[in-house]
Amino acid sequence: MATFEFNSPEQEIHFPLFKEKNVRVFVKRDDLIHPFISGNKWRKLKYMISFAKEQNKDTLVTFGGAWSNHLVATACAGANFGYRTYGFVRGDEVENPVLALCKLFGMTLHFVSRSDYQDKHGLYNNVFGNRPRSLFINEGGYSKEAVRGCSELIDELETKYDNIICAAGTGATAAGLQTGISNHPIFQKETSLHVIPVLKGGDFIKDEINKLDVDSSLINFHLDYHFGGYAKVNAQLLNFIKCFVNHTDIMIEPTYTGKLFYALFDLIKNGLFQDKSKILAIHSGGLTGFLGMFNKFYRLLSF
Ligand SMILES: *Cc1c(COP(=O)(O)O)cnc(C)c1O
């Protein structure tokens, strides 16, 4: 049974903009934790899996859209740690590379209508209510266990950063990072967390973070980098991604990390960060996201 108990590296990246604005930018390479259990998904699942083991569970049951990184991560973690996995997928039955990966890792998929999908506990109880050895894991891994897992990223850091920046979907990763910062003797006074929601109307993330018992008023939110909504893109974003990837060799994708780095560059341009700031961007992984987007690169860029 493999575990992923190593600290992902902190890698400095160099662009003329950073020199011009006199800031340094580092990337926490959580994308290197595992190719399919994408960085933050492993941190979010880790304590769920310890709990499953403690409670002698044999099946992990979870939820996601048809391109969900969390579904693949759970399927792959199940294969690794010896659990059956079951995924409720939102919407009509479809075939795509991400769902094929889920099946390859042994996950059983069950497609449910968008309205049924709203009631996750209801769906769970219908199928698994009388199976005490199964474990409910929320969409995106959203849970207090996820907060604990993500907070550990901060303890791994080798140097001090003035600013840490991450993308947010459910907000669990951001909640974990803020917890790590607030519990850290030095970072709690000197480090600001910046969060880029990738959904439109990202203000709701504040409530989601508060519900995890983390004070969202400690966090700086930048709500205008969603590009029209979840998984929405335009040529400007894709062009940025292309420049970033061929300048750094670090792969990013349009749904989460592309928007994160686009926002980071824009905030640096706008002078948000003070002179000599050291900034850490969290690369939360999710590279299978590119698989659902490759046709957009052909359509919107001259590929
Ligand atoms: C799921 C995911 C996120 C969002 O994490 P939350 O904890 O839901 O906010 C960010 N980046 C990547 C690559 C993801 O796959």
Side-chain angles (χ1 to χ4, degrees), residues 165-237:
I165 187 164
C166 72
T170 67
T173 302
L177 295 174
Q178 185 57 52
T179 300
I181 291 170
S182 297
N183 291 339
H184 190 284
I186 298 165
F187 286 29
Q188 64 177 202
K189 296 194 196 74
E190 301 186 12
T191 305
S192 309
L193 180 64
H194 298 266
V195 172
I196 312 299
V198 300
L199 292 92
K200 197 150 112 187
D203 224 29
F204 79 91
I205 298 251
K206 295 178 186 169
D207 282 339
E208 295 300 305
I209 290 174
N210 293 333
K211 277 191 236 157
L212 294 168
D213 296 334
V214 177
D215 180 1
S216 67
S217 72
L218 299 170
I219 300 174
N220 306 284
F221 294 89
H222 305 281
L223 302 177
D224 298 329
Y225 295 103
H226 54 72
F227 288 84
Y230 183 74
K232 296 278 197 294
V233 303
N234 63 19
Q236 203 180 6
L237 176 65

Side-chain angles (χ1 to χ4, degrees), residues 8-269:
S8 65
E10 291 148 56
Q11 174 184 348
E12 184 162 14
I13 57 174
H14 302 275
F15 280 84
L17 172 69
F18 306 163
K19 261 219 170 99
E20 193 186 304
K21 296 290 183 181
N22 203 20
V23 296
R24 291 177 72 188
V25 176
F26 298 75
V27 183
K28 175 73 166 158
R29 297 291 310 273
D30 271 13
D31 56 314
L32 299 179
I33 291 178
H34 191 282
F36 298 110
I37 311 184
S38 86
N40 69 336
K41 300 300 184 287
W42 164 243
R43 294 188 189 275
K44 292 199 274 185
L45 281 170
K46 181 177 167 188
Y47 287 106
M48 276 290 174
I49 288 172
S50 322
F51 179 77
K53 196 168 170 209
E54 249 168 60
Q55 301 282 317
N56 196 28
K57 304 287 188 188
D58 65 5
T59 305
L60 310 176
V61 182
T62 196
F63 306 82
W67 292 97
S68 164
N69 294 327
H70 167 71
L71 281 183
V72 186
T74 306
C76 186
N80 189 322
F81 293 97
Y83 294 94
R84 279 201 287 272
T85 53
Y86 196 98
F88 287 99
V89 187
R90 185 182 58 231
D92 295 336
E93 183 157 358
V94 289
E95 294 175 354
N96 73 35
V98 166
L99 294 174
L101 280 171
C102 290
K103 291 191 193 193
L104 196 59
F105 288 121
M107 182 175 257
T108 305
L109 301 178
H110 185 81
F111 293 84
V112 295
S113 71
R114 284 171 186 269
S115 59
D116 288 352
Y117 188 82
Q118 299 301 316
D119 181 14
K120 298 188 183 61
H121 286 279
L123 288 172
Y124 179 87
N125 287 333
N126 280 344
V127 184
F128 297 96
N130 57 4
R131 289 204 63 250
R133 294 189 69 197
S134 57
L135 178 65
F136 175 98
I137 301 179
N138 211 335
E139 181 178 41
Y142 177 89
S143 61
K144 295 199 173 148
E145 287 80 2
V147 173
R148 182 176 168 206
C150 292
S151 74
E152 292 177 350
L153 184 152
I154 301 296
D155 306 322
E156 294 175 10
L157 299 179
E158 289 169 1
T159 58
K160 192 190 90 148
Y161 295 95
D162 307 296
N163 296 280
I164 297 179
I165 187 164
C166 72
T170 67
T173 302
L177 295 174
Q178 185 57 52
T179 300
I181 291 170
S182 297
N183 291 339
H184 190 284
I186 298 165
F187 286 29
Q188 64 177 202
K189 296 194 196 74
E190 301 186 12
T191 305
S192 309
L193 180 64
H194 298 266
V195 172
I196 312 299
V198 300
L199 292 92
K200 197 150 112 187
D203 224 29
F204 79 91
I205 298 251
K206 295 178 186 169
D207 282 339
E208 295 300 305
I209 290 174
N210 293 333
K211 277 191 236 157
L212 294 168
D213 296 334
V214 177
D215 180 1
S216 67
S217 72
L218 299 170
I219 300 174
N220 306 284
F221 294 89
H222 305 281
L223 302 177
D224 298 329
Y225 295 103
H226 54 72
F227 288 84
Y230 183 74
K232 296 278 197 294
V233 303
N234 63 19
Q236 203 180 6
L237 176 65
L238 301 191
N239 222 352
F240 170 81
I241 290 171
K242 188 175 166 221
C243 294
F244 183 93
V245 172
N246 64 51
H247 190 83
T248 59
D249 94 336
I250 299 175
M251 178 70 183
I252 57 175
E253 46 64 48
T255 309
Y256 292 102
T257 49
K259 291 180 184 179
L260 166 69
F261 281 98
Y262 184 97
L264 173 59
F265 278 56
D266 199 51
L267 295 169
I268 291 173
K269 245 177 237 157

